[in-house]
C-alpha cells in the first residue's frame, strides 16, 4: 500500500506542477504582442497540457485504488470532501484545455490580470486537499 500511496503523491504533485504552470503561460500569452513569441508559448502550452493530462490519469487511478482497494478514508467525511475537490480540479484541468483551444484559435477574451487570478485556483485547491488529507478535520 505504501508504494501506491507514494506513487499517488508523486503523480499528484507532478500534475499540480502543470496546473500551476499552464495558467502562468496563459498570463504571458495574454500579454504578448509578438506573433513569434506567442507561437513559441503556444507550443509550450500544448506540450505541457498533453503531459499534465498523462500525469493526471495515474494520479486519479492510484487515488481510487487507495480508496476502493485499501479502503483508505471509507466512511469518512474528509474523503468525500476531497473527492469533491478533486472533481472540481479535474474540471479546472479541462477548463485549461478549453482556454488553450481559444488561444490556438485566436479567440482569447481574457486579460493577463484575469489569468493571474485564475492561476490561484489550483493553489487553493491543493491547500484544501492537503488539509483534508493530513488534518482530517471531519472524522
Amino acid at each position: 500500500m505504501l508504494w501506491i500511496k507514494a506513487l499517488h503523491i508523486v503523480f499528484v504533485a507532478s500534475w499540480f506542477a502543470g496546473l500551476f504552470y499552464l495558467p502562468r503561460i496563459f498570463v504571458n500569452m495574454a500579454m504578448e504582442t509578438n506573433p513569434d513569441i506567442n507561437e513559441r508559448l503556444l507550443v509550450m502550452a500544448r506540450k505541457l497540457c498533453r503531459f499534465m493530462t498523462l500525469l493526471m490519469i495515474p494520479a486519479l487511478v492510484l487515488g481510487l485504488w487507495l480508496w476502493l482497494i485499501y479502503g483508505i478514508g471509507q466512511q469518512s467525511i474528509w474523503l468525500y470532501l476531497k473527492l469533491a475537490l478533486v472533481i472540481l480540479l479535474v474540471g479546472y484541468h479541462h477548463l485549461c484545455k478549453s482556454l488553450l483551444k481559444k488561444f490556438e484559435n485566436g479567440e482569447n477574451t481574457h486579460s493577463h490580470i484575469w489569468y493571474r487570478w485564475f492561476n490561484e485556483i489550483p493553489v487553493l485547491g491543493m491547500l484544501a486537499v492537503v488539509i483534508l488529507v493530513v488534518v482530517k478535520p471531519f472524522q
Side-chain angles (χ1 to χ4, degrees):
M1 174 180 64
L2 293 178
W3 281 100
I4 302 303
K5 198 181 278 189
L7 288 172
H8 175 63
I9 292 168
V10 168
F11 279 107
V12 167
S14 301
W15 173 42
F16 265 86
L19 289 178
F20 293 150
Y21 191 53
L22 184 59
R24 187 68 205 160
I25 294 174
F26 294 163
V27 169
N28 292 313
M29 288 193 313
M31 292 173 35
E32 191 54 59
T33 57
N34 183 327
D36 293 333
I37 294 174
N38 210 12
E39 185 56 38
R40 179 171 294 197
L41 290 168
L42 266 175
V43 169
M44 289 172 56
R46 283 185 199 112
K47 287 180 179 182
L48 179 59
C49 193
R50 275 193 300 268
F51 189 62
M52 60 192 254
T53 299
L54 291 175
L55 294 167
M56 176 185 68
I57 293 167
L60 297 174
V61 168
L62 292 166
L64 286 171
W65 188 343
L66 289 167
W67 178 41
L68 298 173
I69 305 298
Y70 290 111
I72 291 180
Q74 287 186 354
Q75 314 300 313
S76 298
I77 295 171
W78 68 266
L79 180 77
Y80 294 103
L81 293 172
K82 176 193 172 190
L83 289 173
L85 287 170
V86 168
I87 290 167
L88 290 173
L89 288 162
V90 169
Y92 180 87
H93 178 108
H94 287 288
L95 180 55
C96 285
K97 289 173 79 170
S98 168
L99 291 167
L100 177 57
K101 289 284 186 215
K102 289 187 179 200
F103 274 110
E104 290 174 329
N105 297 330
E107 300 170 351
N108 174 52
T109 58
H110 300 295
S111 72
H112 66 96
I113 295 169
W114 187 89
Y115 284 108
R116 287 178 198 277
W117 284 103
F118 180 74
N119 189 44
E120 300 306 322
I121 294 170
V123 174
L124 298 173
M126 179 182 249
L127 177 66
V129 167
V130 169
I131 288 170
L132 286 170
V133 171
V134 174
V135 178
K136 295 179 178 62
F138 307 104
Q139 283 284 355

